[in-house]
């Protein structure tokens, strides 16, 4: 039986079909179907709902005005203009995946075809002039993830946030806002995931039940009502759709996945060389050293201090010869230095590239170099000019660039940024030429800065993958830059917060992300730095960084005992480089981040459908197959719970097999047994140990240890096999630097295994795809959790002996580009 609302809706449609003029005159409800959606209006509000795909719906609305310009800094043009035909219904329309219903007061309900209500308006859009608020019904078991680098718990439920990029030195758990504005979140309920992206660059705000426990809401003081709703039902599908909308992270240069050493600042030149020499002398694998602002002359971007760095170019070459990459900071504030021979100011002024006051004069604000001017990155011509400023650095061999202070940060003013009425000239393909206030552009300013850097580097070196690190950004900024969590602190609590921050950044599109290892503000005690280095070895970006005036943070600073532990984890990161790089390549195609919450791979791990991560604070997935079980309170010495998703797991370090398919006798510290498929493990923490687990069905590629990613590994590729259902693995390789992979110069191999009824294990090594030659001549196969009966491994052409080493059965075979089938028995 149709609902009363549905009957009323159908009746009104009939009336409006007969008397459209009367309805329009009374400003009442009317709807006109389109091939890909519906246009409705009522009480001064115009509503346009469009199906971009069967699982993606776009909602646009305006009040007492036409719909605004259809343009976006975030959403790719191909996605924004995509379309799919819909089937009209009496209350709205349906696609092959979703059902949309609209009430006469323009409230929306989105359901799937199984009858699950995925999103429902709690009331019509609330308008107060240009200000709007959209309220949705919230259930007690709704969970929310995303919104970028907001501090606090992984789940945003019960919290409220503002989107306003802010230089927030020493931010704490309750600080908001901080550096990035990514108005995208995932609503996860009962094992089903829904993505919501509000494409509005103004100071948007989000409330996930803080104001009203039965509602979540979002809105802005100005700008468009333009939001996207997309259904999974799995979280992986939501992430892939978000990447379809806003673009994935590009495949990074291989060296950026190595260990990176930084400080504010390494000066003079001899200090940089000393750091590099010590890393190599202590056999600490490393790939990058950062130069903070003190390498510049009086903190002026795109300069080098000739007194501190008299042989800058030779230093870069010397470090490159030893496989070190230099990442140099290039802040966006240009020193206001007329008639001083400062080229960035002179050429920027000549090209009219700087942001202006309302009266047309160039705006000046005080930052590191003193009075400074700011490029107007909303102009394509300005971005093109900015890119040319990198020519000298790229010619000298600087490998990466760090765009800091780009919220934009301004000193000596209460707002810490530009005045609200600063004028930006939008002159950009896809937009109508116009002038916008800083209130509209502020949140995209940092993203457009990193875009200018990324595009400029591509123009200068078309076949070199750029590396740009940005502090501020907006949705879609992952197309141009990696990021980090900003100026964190050297405390145990900030180490604890690192996991949910990086996980939520990954769920917000930023898969290449890290946090300043050891904490930026303050001096970490030895044990804190050690534990931080352990955990960071399993995060996308592993950069040790420290503020001026703090004690040294380098791995060797606390003596040989601490160094031994720290080096062990950095070395393990390098052994895992084939797996990590393969995961990064997957991210570049799908948008699935390197560092993941448990619910992304295991959405049904609990009996009531809540995310397992809520029971497993501190845990995360490193790629699809490794689970890192850091303590939720890393300074504690008491045992803590580790919650493994149901199934068979293996201890990464020992190879021990853990059966989590049934209840065990382990004690649940919080008595949640009824909602958990398995009871937790209890782990007693030690300084030197970080629990890492491998899921069953994994084939994990491991490389011999190297001291940098540019060093060719010496020895066989190791495949660690952990048999189980859907046993498989993949490996991807290329030159790690160029775009030659786009024309076929890559290596891709798929592996699979199957346990047979007779107890044998069949391993399939697929044929090598692509033209890139591997570095290995042999493959070492290590099998865990499987017992050999005959101690033999046979291929179609030979029989080999299996050796038992520890808990593994081991055999080494020649590499065959055509692939091989191996039977272990």
């Amino acid at each position: 039986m149709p609902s009363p609302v549905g009957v009323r809706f159908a009746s009104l449609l009939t009336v409006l079909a007969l008397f459209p003029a009367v309805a329009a005159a009374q400003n009442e409800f009317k709807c006109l179907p389109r091939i890909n959606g519906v246009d409705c209006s009522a009480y001064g509000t115009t509503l346009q709902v469009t199906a971009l795909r069967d699982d993606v719906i776009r909602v646009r609305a305006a009040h007492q005005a036409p719909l605004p310009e259809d343009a976006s800094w975030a959403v790719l043009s191909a996605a924004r203009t995509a379309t799919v035909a819909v089937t009209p219904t009496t209350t709205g329309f349906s696609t092959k995946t979703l059902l949309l219903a609209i009430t006469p007061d323009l409230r929306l309900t989105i359901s799937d075809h199984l009858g699950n209500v995925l999103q429902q308006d709690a009331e019509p859009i609330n308008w107060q002039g240009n200000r709007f608020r959209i309220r949705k019904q919230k259930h007690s078991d709704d969970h929310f993830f995303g919104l970028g680098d907001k501090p606090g718990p992984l789940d945003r439920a019960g919290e409220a946030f503002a989107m306003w990029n802010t230089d927030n030195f020493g931010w704490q758990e309750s600080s908001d806002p901080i550096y990035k504005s990514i108005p995208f979140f995932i609503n996860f309920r009962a094992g089903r995931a829904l993505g919501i992206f509000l494409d509005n660059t103004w100071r948007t705000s989000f409330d996930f039940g803080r104001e009203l426990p039965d509602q979540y809401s979002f809105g802005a003081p100005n700008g468009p009502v333009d939001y996207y709703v997309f259904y999974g039902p799995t979280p992986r599908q939501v992430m892939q759709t978000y990447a379809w909308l806003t673009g994935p992270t590009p495949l990074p240069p291989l060296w950026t996945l190595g260990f990176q050493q930084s400080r504010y600042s390494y000066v003079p030149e001899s200090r940089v060389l000393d750091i590099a020499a010590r890393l190599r002398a202590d056999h600490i694998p490393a790939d990058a050293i950062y130069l903070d602002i003190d390498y510049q002359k009086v903190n002026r971007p795109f300069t080098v201090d000739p007194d501190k760095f008299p042989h800058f170019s030779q230093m870069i070459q010397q470090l490159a010869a030893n496989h070190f990459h230099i990442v140099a900071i290039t802040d966006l504030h240009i020193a206001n230095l007329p008639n001083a021979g400062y080229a960035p100011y002179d050429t920027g002024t000549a090209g009219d590239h700087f942001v202006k006051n309302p009266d047309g004069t160039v705006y000046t604000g005080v930052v590191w170099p003193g009075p400074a001017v700011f490029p107007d990155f909303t102009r394509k011509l300005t971005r093109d000019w900015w890119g040319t400023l990198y020519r000298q650095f790229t010619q000298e061999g600087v490998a990466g660039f760090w765009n800091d202070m780009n919220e934009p940060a301004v000193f000596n003013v209460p707002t810490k940024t530009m005045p609200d009425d600063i004028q930006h000239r939008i002159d950009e393909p896809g937009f109508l030429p116009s002038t916008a206030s800083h209130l509209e552009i502020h949140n995209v300013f940092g993203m457009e800065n990193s875009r200018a850097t990324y595009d400029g580097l591509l123009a200068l070196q078309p076949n070199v993958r750029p590396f740009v690190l940005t502090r501020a950004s907006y949705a879609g900024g992952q197309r141009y830059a990696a990021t980090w969590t900003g100026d964190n602190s050297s405390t145990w609590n900030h180490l604890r917060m690192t996991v949910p921050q990086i996980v939520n950044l990954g769920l917000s599109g930023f898969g290449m992300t890290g946090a300043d290892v050891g904490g930026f503000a303050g001096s970490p005690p030895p044990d804190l730095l050690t534990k931080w280095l352990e955990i960071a070895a399993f995060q996308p970006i592993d950069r040790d960084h420290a503020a001026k005036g703090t004690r040294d943070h380098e791995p060797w600073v606390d003596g040989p005992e601490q160094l031994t532990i720290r080096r062990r984890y950095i070395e393990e990161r390098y052994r895992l480089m084939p797996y990590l790089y393969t995961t990064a390549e997957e991210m570049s195609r799908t948008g699935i981040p390197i560092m993941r919450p448990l619910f992304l791979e295991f959405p049904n791990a609990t009996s009531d459908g809540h995310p397992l991560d809520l029971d497993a604070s501190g845990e995360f997935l490193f790629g699809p197959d490794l689970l890192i079980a850091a303590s939720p309170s890393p300074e504690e010495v008491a045992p803590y719970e580790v919650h493994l998703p149901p199934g068979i797991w293996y201890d990464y370090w020992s190879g021990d097999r853990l059966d989590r398919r049934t209840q065990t006798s382990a004690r649940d510290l919080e008595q949640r047994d009824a909602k958990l498929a398995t009871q937790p493990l209890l782990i007693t923490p030690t300084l030197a140990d970080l629990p890492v687990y491998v899921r069953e069905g994994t084939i994990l590629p491991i490389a011999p240890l190297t001291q940098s990613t540019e060093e060719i590994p010496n020895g066989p590729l190791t495949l660690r096999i952990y048999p189980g259902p859907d046993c498989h693995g993949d490996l991807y390789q290329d030159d790690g630097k160029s775009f030659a992979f786009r024309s076929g110069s890559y290596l891709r191999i798929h592996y699979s295994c199957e346990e047979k009824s007779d107890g044998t294990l069949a391993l399939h090594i697929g044929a090598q795809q692509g033209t890139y030659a591997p570095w290995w001549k042999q493959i070492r196969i290590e099998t865990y959790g499987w017992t050999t009966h005959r101690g033999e491994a046979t291929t179609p052409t030979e029989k080999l002996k299996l050796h038992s080493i520890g808990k593994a059965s081991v055999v080494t075979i020649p590499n065959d580009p055509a692939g091989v089938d191996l039977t272990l028995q």
Side-chain angles (χ1 to χ4, degrees), residues 194-255:
L194 192 73
I196 297 95
F197 171 49
L198 173 62
D199 193 7
N200 181 305
T201 65
W202 294 69
R203 186 177 181 133
T204 56
S205 60
F206 294 78
D207 187 304
F208 297 108
R210 172 175 284 187
E211 178 189 8
L212 298 170
D214 61 348
Q215 292 184 11
Y216 68 91
S217 66
F218 48 89
N222 209 324
V225 172
D226 189 358
Y227 68 96
Y228 299 77
V229 181
F230 37 102
Y231 188 37
T234 69
R236 285 182 63 94
Q237 289 170 296
V238 167
M239 289 305 306
Q240 289 174 303
T241 300
Y242 183 68
W244 175 77
L245 280 171
T246 65
T249 298
L251 181 62
L254 176 61
W255 65 265

Side-chain angles (χ1 to χ4, degrees), residues 146-452:
L147 297 188
D149 57 355
K150 302 294 188 183
L154 179 68
D155 188 358
R156 309 302 194 188
E159 303 292 331
F161 303 93
M163 296 289 165
W164 188 252
N165 294 354
T166 302
D167 177 7
N168 200 334
F169 175 81
W171 54 265
Q172 296 301 320
E173 192 160 11
S174 60
S175 299
D176 184 63
I178 58 172
Y179 305 97
K180 280 167 277 294
S181 297
I182 307 174
F184 164 69
F185 63 92
I186 297 173
N187 179 199
F188 187 84
R189 179 177 179 237
R192 293 184 296 273
L194 192 73
I196 297 95
F197 171 49
L198 173 62
D199 193 7
N200 181 305
T201 65
W202 294 69
R203 186 177 181 133
T204 56
S205 60
F206 294 78
D207 187 304
F208 297 108
R210 172 175 284 187
E211 178 189 8
L212 298 170
D214 61 348
Q215 292 184 11
Y216 68 91
S217 66
F218 48 89
N222 209 324
V225 172
D226 189 358
Y227 68 96
Y228 299 77
V229 181
F230 37 102
Y231 188 37
T234 69
R236 285 182 63 94
Q237 289 170 296
V238 167
M239 289 305 306
Q240 289 174 303
T241 300
Y242 183 68
W244 175 77
L245 280 171
T246 65
T249 298
L251 181 62
L254 176 61
W255 65 265
T256 65
L257 298 174
F259 180 65
Q260 306 178 17
Q261 187 62 56
S262 182
R263 182 171 182 82
Y264 173 30
S265 293
Y266 286 134
V267 289
E269 182 178 290
S270 59
R271 174 71 168 146
V272 180
L273 295 172
D274 287 346
I275 291 295
R278 183 65 184 270
L279 286 164
R280 293 290 181 249
D282 283 350
H283 302 287
I284 303 167
D287 271 86
I289 297 175
Y290 280 63
L291 300 181
D292 212 319
I293 60 174
D294 290 318
Y295 82 92
Q296 301 167 141
K297 183 176 181 179
V298 201
N299 295 334
R300 297 168 187 166
F302 301 100
T303 67
V304 175
D305 188 321
D307 296 324
K308 297 175 183 174
F309 290 84
H311 312 99
F312 184 80
S313 181
Q314 294 93 318
M315 179 193 75
I316 301 297
Q317 295 172 23
Q318 181 178 342
L319 291 168
N322 207 14
H323 302 314
F324 282 105
H325 301 79
I326 284 293
V327 180
I329 200 168
T330 51
D331 290 338
L332 52 70
H333 41 254
I334 300 297
N336 190 346
L337 286 176
N339 307 313
Y342 178 44
Y345 177 85
D346 293 341
T347 58
T349 299
D352 192 23
H353 291 306
F354 298 128
V355 168
K356 296 185 177 181
N357 294 303
D359 64 3
T361 60
V362 172
Y363 167 72
T364 300
V366 175
V367 207
W368 291 119
V373 293
F374 299 79
D376 198 349
F377 292 111
T378 55
R379 303 175 71 236
K380 183 181 185 303
L381 288 176
T382 296
R383 295 198 306 274
D384 291 345
W385 160 79
W386 173 265
T388 66
L389 300 179
Y390 290 91
R391 180 173 286 108
Q392 182 67 29
F393 280 153
T394 57
Q395 289 175 347
E396 291 174 325
V398 177
F401 296 94
W402 177 12
N403 292 161
D404 200 358
M405 306 294 289
N406 56 355
E407 289 72 32
V410 178
F411 297 162
N412 304 331
V413 293
T415 63
K416 300 182 179 181
T417 193
M418 294 179 182
D420 294 345
D421 60 356
I422 291 299
Q423 302 295 290
H424 298 268
R425 294 160 288 165
I426 299 177
D427 190 357
E428 164 73 15
F431 286 78
L432 297 174
S434 63
T435 300
S437 76
H438 190 66
L439 287 170
E440 180 179 349
I441 299 303
H442 175 89
N443 282 340
V444 296
F445 198 75
M447 178 176 79
E448 293 305 294
N449 166 221
S450 61
R451 177 186 184 184

Side-chain angles (χ1 to χ4, degrees), residues 82 173 251 377 432 483 540 543 572 649 673 676 694 757 770:
E173 192 160 11
L251 181 62
F377 292 111
L432 297 174
T483 193
R543 182 180 79 144
E572 205 61 38
W649 289 84
D673 298 9
L676 299 176
V694 190
S757 58

Side-chain angles (χ1 to χ4, degrees), residues 726-784:
D726 189 27
C727 175
H728 70 276
D730 293 279
L731 186 144
Y732 175 86
Q733 299 265 298
D734 57 29
D735 66 16
K737 301 174 183 178
S738 76
F739 293 99
F741 65 90
R742 293 176 176 171
S743 55
S745 183
Y746 63 84
L747 171 70
R748 193 186 302 277
I749 307 173
H750 181 72
Y751 309 99
S752 62
C753 77
E754 182 182 2
E755 290 186 86
K756 301 291 187 178
S757 58
D758 61 359
T760 61
L761 181 67
L763 172 64
H764 174 70
I765 299 176
Q768 296 176 11
Q769 302 174 39
T771 61
Y772 187 76
W775 48 259
W776 59 90
K777 304 300 182 184
Q778 294 179 309
I779 302 173
R780 173 186 167 97
I781 297 164
E782 299 178 359
T783 304
Y784 295 83

Side-chain angles (χ1 to χ4, degrees), residues 625 694-700 720-724 726-729:
D625 299 319
V694 190
R695 69 194 291 183
E696 65 174 337
T698 294
I699 299 179
L700 190 67
R720 291 188 185 173
I721 301 172
Y722 303 87
D726 189 27
C727 175
H728 70 276

